[in-house]
Amino acid sequence: MKTGWRFFKVACAALLITAAISQTIIYKQMDLSLAETIQRPLIAEEVYFSDTLVVDVDEESMARLVPEFGVWPYKRDIYALVTDYLKEAGAKTIVYDILFSERREGDEMFARAIHRAGNVVLPGVALPFAPKRDAAYHAQLAALAWPVTSPVPAKHWDDMTLPRMELVPASAATVQFGVINLTPDMDGILRRVPLLHESYGKYLPNAALAALFAQQPYPAMKYLPDEQRLQVGQRSWPTTKHGEIILQHPKNPDPFLVMPFYRLVFAALGMPGYAISRAEIEGKTIFIGSTTASLGDYAATPHGIKAGLHIMALTYQNLAKNTVLHPPKLGWDLVLILTGIAFLAFSAHRHLQSAITLSLLAGASITATYLSSLGLLAFLNQQSALLFSITNSFTLYLLMVLLRIKTLYDEKQKLYYEKMAAEQTSAFKSKFLAYITHELRTPLTAIMGFNSLVSENKSLSPDERNATKTIETNSDHLLRLVNNLLDQAKIEAGKMDLEVRAIAIRDTINDVLATFARLAASKNVEMKMQYDVCVPQALMLDGFRVRQIIINLVGNALKFTEQGHVLVKVGWQGGWLEVSVEDTGPGISSSAQEKIFSAFQQGATPDIHAYSGTGLGLTISRYLAQLMGGTLSVESMLGRGSTFFLRIPADAPELPHPCAAPAGLTSLGTHENPVGAASAIPQPQATEKLTGCVLLADDSEDARILFKNFFDRMGLISLFATNGQAAVDIALVEHPDIILMDMEMPVMNGLEAVRLLRQRGYAKPILALTAHTHQAVSEALLDAGFDGCLEKPIKQDALQRALAVILQPARH
Amino acid sequence: MDNADITVHIDPNLAGLVGGYLENRRRDLVAIRAALAQHNFEPIRLIGHNIKGTGGGYGFDFISTIGDELEQAASRADETAIIQITGKLADYLGRLNVVAN
């Protein structure tokens, strides 16, 4: 509705603007030019008017008639001769386009010939000025005028030149006179011909109209303003409101049969060789005049300069065959305007706002309007205000584009301010996060730190130790709440990021279970874990967030299970880590199962509220799962417990063993001991003695002490350096059989040291001691010059195996 | 966590070293707290890095795990996590019962 109303207003504005534009001279010129140069040449047909003959007093005729009749102007007997001949030959009507207003020899003969013929129309010329006229003139004028009983439109003149009274007697009561004036438009182009001329209050016909009613009683005339038609006798034609018909020109410039005057005269004289067949004259309307430059009048028409004689003949044909063009009518023009608007209304209705689409629709609008106008002209001879319709469409299109530009600008402004508001909100949220981090965590840190200090005291009484445990438990709980709130704020601010690295998933889950072990024991709830053997030792995950999810799930399960068990199952399939947490708690109704994942549920049922807790834990857990590309779902039945399923993509770090040794070295040891409250009991092993010298570079005193113990047991000579530079210096002097190089050391790190050693020509094995053994790091180590690596923390047996590959066993 | 001892069986060949190693860890707790008070996380990270690399070698895998967590918490300047981890280490050291056999 809003769109329709908006479009209506724009369309009205376009109409008003176009109406204003249409009053300009340029527009009017363009309007005429459009119709004449683009439309009519497409519509015009080749026509040959075989029922009309034009007899031209041309230059050749003037030359040939000199011997017989002298120079122009001729005596009137020549016209008497011609008139008699044409009448005898069966001419339908003879129309002269030659003024016979002055007395000349032969007038009586001509008058008699006119009377005998009974079908002659003589011309008059309207004047824009009024010479003195006598009563006889006015009597003749009145006799020649057509009777008018109701207002009819006519071209007004101050005066009219009539033919000689002898030629057209005042007593004549039949049509035998017509006005031959040409009335071009202001631009000099003749387009319209007035059917009636008025002078001294008398209405006289156009010569072509007179030819149509020649020698008939004066017809009754009536103007039909609603239809814009002039009715003359039984005929009517569409006219302008000034009584003008709009000529329709044929495509061909020579639609008439033209005969030179001399040929007619010679034929009339019976000169041999100049006979004219009856067929050339019989039944035709004959127009006699001159197209010479000195005698003829000319007019510029949309189809070029034409002689008045030919225009008169064409006017007659238009009237006789009713092929005049209809002046533009409001009804048809409205159809065209609506045609143009319809395409653009469609775009407004469909909210089409692409510039290309609008342009195509505007083009379609103009094309459809033009084709409609052509159709009107071709099939109904109906002119249209084509340019108005096209201008209207174009103006409407421009207004829509301007409106669109304004809308885009407004939207851009709105987006700009919304973006600014969003940025300010985000900035506020970030500040809020930072503020909360400091204000909430700081006191918590103090509480937890001092509580930790107190708990280290071995002389605490059991009650005091329980008190520290209670403080620790509640601090942890409070910290979890704060962290959940902060995580929720991070989620809303879009600031939650993942840190993916290789983590030992079994250790992570074991650690979580260990955290809840005491609570489970106090509730007599069994905590169980099933670990699928195919789960890789390490998986690429954000360990911190995975741990957070597992804590939420296990914590929830344990919280609402009063008896039975909480079972954690861990599986890995096709690159997906699958963890399920199953409890024997009260279960969750089906209606509540989705709601528990929504933060801050209002009006929640007890089970929703119970599981939601603060309303954030499961929300955050699901969000984290989704952030990792996975899912978190639940299956549950009331009274039968619940199982939460976590499924997240988790690739195993690319092994084969990252420290793929070059030829001569076997794969090196890694540590595989599980982490938990108790470690596996190591079995003392018999240490194989080796021979050689080993240099250890490690800044950790604990590591040096440990390795010295290992080296001593293996019977090796050991050297030690506390940084990379010292290692290089010692190695280049002492040439140990193997170097074990820690990576992170002061002064010079392991990578720099090994590069320097290789540059200086040290070619013996160098092994990296590192905690990061995934492939990218290993390749970097090998590229730097290491021969392999040992994964920290290193145990004696792994070290033994690695050194045994390189060093020789000791001879006993 | 509860009050029960945590028993760790170690390589008898390392029995003579373990006492000093664990004492160094207790000193680490003090150093961590001191660094934390100064909001200086690099020393804490280095401590975590060190014990990560040595704990398992001495037979204390848990200490290696703690070291890894401590190193990461210090890398992201997470004071609260450092406090928690330190607490766990302190608790572990307080309940540790080393058996060399």
Side-chain angles (χ1 to χ4, degrees):
Chain A
M1 185 66 163
K2 193 176 173 184
T3 306
W5 175 240
R6 200 179 188 194
F7 180 80
F8 175 75
K9 286 193 288 186
V10 173
C12 288
L15 272 171
L16 286 173
I17 293 169
T18 308
I21 293 171
S22 68
Q23 300 309 306
T24 61
I25 292 175
I26 293 178
Y27 176 92
K28 288 176 182 173
Q29 290 301 318
M30 284 175 63
D31 191 23
L32 295 170
S33 176
L34 186 71
E36 289 157 10
T37 59
I38 299 177
Q39 279 196 310
R40 290 191 205 168
L42 290 176
I43 303 299
E45 297 173 344
E46 281 198 358
V47 182
Y48 293 95
F49 300 115
S50 57
D51 59 347
T52 302
L53 176 64
V54 173
V55 178
D56 190 2
V57 185
D58 55 9
E59 299 285 354
E60 186 183 2
S61 297
M62 287 187 178
R64 282 184 175 237
L65 292 174
V66 167
E68 291 289 334
F69 298 95
V71 297
W72 180 276
Y74 304 126
K75 299 178 204 174
R76 299 281 162 79
D77 53 351
I78 192 173
Y79 303 109
L81 176 68
V82 167
T83 300
D84 282 339
Y85 179 80
L86 289 172
K87 171 64 180 175
E88 183 61 32
K92 179 182 171 190
T93 308
I94 304 166
V95 183
Y96 279 96
D97 186 26
I98 300 169
L99 274 182
F100 302 115
S101 58
E102 295 177 355
R103 182 173 176 75
R104 208 167 293 277
E105 187 178 343
D107 276 344
E108 293 79 12
M109 186 184 292
F110 187 32
R112 285 195 292 276
I114 290 172
H115 182 73
R116 283 194 297 275
N119 61 351
V120 176
V121 175
L122 295 181
V125 172
L127 298 175
F129 57 90
K132 270 192 177 177
R133 297 293 187 185
D134 56 16
Y137 166 87
H138 287 285
Q140 185 189 11
L141 181 66
L144 294 174
W146 288 14
V148 171
T149 56
S150 60
V152 290
K155 175 78 177 170
H156 170 76
W157 302 93
D158 289 341
D159 190 80
M160 197 80 68
T161 302
L162 303 176
R164 293 285 300 164
M165 203 175 300
E166 295 84 344
L167 301 176
V168 186
S171 59
T174 57
V175 176
Q176 50 189 320
F177 169 77
V179 178
I180 59 171
N181 284 66
L182 300 176
T183 53
D185 291 341
M186 283 179 65
D187 61 351
I189 304 294
L190 180 73
R191 298 179 180 91
R192 298 166 292 179
V193 176
L195 288 182
L196 296 173
H197 299 261
E198 177 270 325
S199 185
Y200 299 106
K202 305 302 179 190
Y203 290 80
L204 297 114
N206 171 275
L209 180 62
L212 202 59
F213 289 90
Q215 297 300 319
Q216 297 179 30
Y218 295 149
M221 294 190 294
K222 188 177 179 184
Y223 182 66
L224 308 170
D226 293 338
E227 296 171 49
Q228 246 178 286
R229 295 182 77 89
L230 178 66
Q231 189 172 344
V232 180
Q234 297 302 308
R235 292 174 175 254
S236 70
W237 300 276
T239 66
T240 66
K241 60 183 178 182
H242 301 295
E244 301 151 317
I245 59 168
I246 302 170
L247 290 179
Q248 179 167 192
H249 294 259
K251 194 171 189 175
N252 47 319
D254 53 348
F256 301 107
L257 297 168
V258 180
M259 181 186 291
F261 187 63
Y262 77 86
R263 186 165 169 234
L264 182 62
V265 172
F266 290 168
L269 287 173
M271 287 171 71
Y274 290 96
I276 297 173
S277 69
R278 194 178 174 83
E280 290 182 76
I281 295 172
E282 186 177 18
K284 293 187 194 287
T285 302
I286 316 293
F287 291 87
I288 304 175
S290 176
T291 61
T292 60
S294 56
L295 299 179
D297 54 349
Y298 286 82
T301 72
H303 291 253
I305 306 292
K306 290 191 187 300
L309 177 63
H310 287 252
I311 292 173
M312 186 195 304
L314 178 65
T315 306
Y316 170 79
Q317 286 294 339
N318 271 223
L319 291 173
K321 293 183 172 53
N322 206 4
T323 55
V324 301
L325 297 177
H326 296 242
K329 276 188 183 168
L330 181 61
W332 287 114
D333 291 338
L334 276 176
V335 169
L336 289 187
I337 290 169
L338 288 173
T339 303
I341 287 178
F343 286 86
L344 297 171
F346 173 76
S347 79
H349 172 66
R350 290 298 188 116
H351 297 285
L352 301 173
Q353 294 183 340
S354 151
I356 294 176
T357 308
L358 275 178
S359 298
L360 286 173
L361 282 173
S365 157
I366 291 170
T367 305
T369 306
Y370 178 71
L371 289 175
S372 302
S373 176
L374 267 185
L376 284 175
L377 197 60
F379 299 109
L380 300 177
N381 288 338
Q382 175 65 58
Q383 278 192 314
S384 62
L386 171 63
L387 185 60
F388 188 93
S389 306
I390 289 175
T391 305
N392 183 65
S393 295
F394 194 67
T395 306
L396 180 59
Y397 167 69
L398 272 181
L399 287 174
M400 287 173 69
V401 167
L402 287 173
L403 205 61
R404 171 70 183 140
I405 290 172
K406 183 178 181 309
T407 304
L408 282 174
Y409 177 77
D410 290 342
E411 281 176 8
K412 189 181 171 186
Q413 286 292 94
K414 186 180 166 195
L415 283 172
Y416 171 74
Y417 288 117
E418 282 178 356
K419 182 179 173 246
M420 216 159 65
E423 283 173 354
Q424 284 174 353
T425 304
S426 179
F428 172 75
K429 278 187 177 175
S430 298
K431 284 184 186 172
F432 174 74
L433 275 174
Y435 176 76
I436 287 292
T437 302
H438 179 73
E439 294 300 324
L440 289 183
R441 281 183 161 174
T442 301
L444 262 179
T445 302
I447 293 168
M448 293 167 73
F450 282 108
N451 189 58
S452 171
L453 264 174
V454 170
S455 67
E456 283 181 22
N457 186 352
K458 286 189 182 283
S459 61
L460 290 178
S461 69
D463 286 344
E464 287 167 343
R465 190 158 295 282
N466 283 336
T468 62
K469 296 304 172 209
T470 303
I471 293 171
E472 183 184 343
T473 303
N474 283 279
S475 300
D476 283 347
H477 178 66
L478 194 56
L479 183 64
R480 260 200 301 281
L481 292 178
V482 169
N483 286 339
N484 276 351
L485 283 170
L486 291 171
D487 281 346
Q488 183 65 21
K490 278 187 191 176
I491 290 167
E492 289 177 2
K495 291 183 184 295
M496 180 74 78
D497 296 320
L498 297 175
E499 293 178 21
V500 177
R501 59 184 182 87
I503 65 156
I505 186 63
R506 184 194 280 251
D507 294 346
T508 300
I509 296 178
N510 271 343
D511 190 43
V512 170
L513 295 182
T515 305
F516 288 103
R518 187 168 73 94
L519 176 60
S522 69
K523 294 180 77 173
N524 270 331
V525 172
E526 189 183 0
M527 292 274 285
K528 300 190 285 188
M529 183 168 86
Q530 279 182 15
Y531 201 82
D532 198 342
V533 294
C534 65
V535 179
Q537 184 186 354
L539 289 171
M540 299 301 290
L541 289 167
D542 184 329
F544 184 73
R545 297 297 175 188
V546 169
R547 181 188 165 86
Q548 185 177 356
I549 297 172
I550 307 293
I551 285 177
N552 269 322
L553 298 180
V554 173
N556 271 345
L558 201 53
K559 187 173 165 187
F560 302 112
T561 301
E562 297 301 330
Q563 59 181 7
H565 66 262
V566 171
L567 170 61
V568 178
K569 291 184 190 175
V570 183
W572 187 76
Q573 192 174 11
W576 289 82
L577 174 68
E578 297 170 344
V579 179
S580 66
V581 178
E582 174 192 309
D583 65 61
T584 52
I588 310 169
S589 63
S590 54
S591 62
Q593 282 176 25
E594 268 306 310
K595 293 180 184 175
I596 56 174
F597 291 103
S598 300
F600 303 125
Q601 272 289 313
Q602 291 185 356
T605 57
D607 53 349
I608 297 173
H609 185 71
Y611 264 88
S612 297
T614 60
L616 288 176
L618 286 174
T619 306
I620 292 169
S621 296
R622 176 174 263 189
Y623 177 81
L624 289 172
Q626 289 168 346
L627 191 64
M628 293 183 218
T631 56
L632 178 62
S633 58
V634 63
E635 285 180 7
S636 183
M637 282 182 68
L638 280 174
R640 297 217 184 155
S642 307
T643 305
F644 283 81
F645 297 93
L646 171 67
R647 191 167 180 270
I648 47 178
D651 292 325
E654 287 186 19
L655 304 170
H657 195 279
C659 300
L665 285 178
T666 59
S667 61
L668 303 172
T670 62
H671 91 286
E672 295 176 350
N673 293 316
V675 175
S679 57
I681 301 173
Q683 299 300 318
Q685 295 174 5
T687 305
E688 185 184 346
K689 300 287 187 189
L690 301 170
T691 180
C693 176
V694 56
L695 167 62
L696 170 72
D698 198 316
D699 61 325
S700 164
E701 185 185 4
D702 292 317
R704 293 196 300 274
I705 292 171
L706 181 65
F707 274 82
K708 183 164 178 15
N709 181 284
F710 292 158
F711 296 150
D712 287 345
R713 281 195 270 156
M714 286 186 242
L716 294 170
I717 300 169
S718 54
L719 303 169
F720 296 92
T722 58
N723 61 65
Q725 183 62 60
V728 170
D729 295 339
I730 295 171
L732 293 177
V733 171
E734 301 293 338
H735 303 288
D737 297 302
I738 184 169
I739 300 176
L740 303 180
M741 183 86 73
D742 189 30
M743 302 311 298
E744 193 171 333
M745 291 183 287
V747 182
M748 182 185 288
N749 64 37
L751 275 177
E752 293 167 339
V754 73
R755 286 195 189 107
L756 189 55
L757 280 169
R758 294 308 185 198
Q759 283 174 13
R760 298 265 182 99
Y762 184 85
K764 292 187 182 177
I766 307 176
L767 301 183
L769 305 178
T770 176
H772 305 290
T773 56
H774 50 89
Q775 186 158 351
V777 171
S778 303
E779 286 173 355
L781 294 174
L782 293 175
D783 286 343
F786 285 101
D787 297 291
C789 61
L790 285 167
E791 188 175 349
K792 291 168 82 170
I794 301 161
K795 299 197 179 201
Q796 196 268 336
D797 53 351
L799 180 64
Q800 172 87 39
R801 286 196 301 274
L803 295 181
V805 171
I806 298 165
L807 300 175
Q808 298 295 323
R811 290 189 185 140
H812 299 287
Chain B
M1 288 183 282
D2 57 35
N3 293 330
D5 282 355
I6 300 171
T7 301
V8 176
H9 297 267
I10 62 166
D11 183 349
N13 294 308
L14 300 176
L17 307 179
V18 162
Y21 181 75
L22 294 176
E23 184 55 32
N24 285 342
R25 304 293 68 83
R26 294 187 186 92
R27 291 201 189 98
D28 283 343
L29 287 175
V30 176
I32 290 169
R33 292 196 186 100
L36 204 56
Q38 303 290 325
H39 300 286
N40 188 357
F41 296 99
E42 181 58 16
I44 300 173
R45 189 192 71 79
L46 289 171
I47 290 171
H49 178 76
N50 178 43
I51 65 177
K52 176 180 74 176
T54 55
Y58 279 88
F60 304 107
D61 295 327
F62 183 76
I63 291 178
S64 281
T65 303
I66 286 289
D68 185 33
E69 289 181 14
L70 188 65
E71 184 183 17
Q72 287 176 48
S75 294
R76 58 175 191 269
D78 188 342
E79 285 188 21
T80 311
I82 292 170
I83 295 285
Q84 277 186 308
I85 296 161
T86 310
K88 283 198 287 186
L89 180 60
D91 178 72
Y92 180 78
L93 292 172
R95 293 192 287 137
L96 190 59
N97 175 32
V98 180
V99 176
N101 56 1

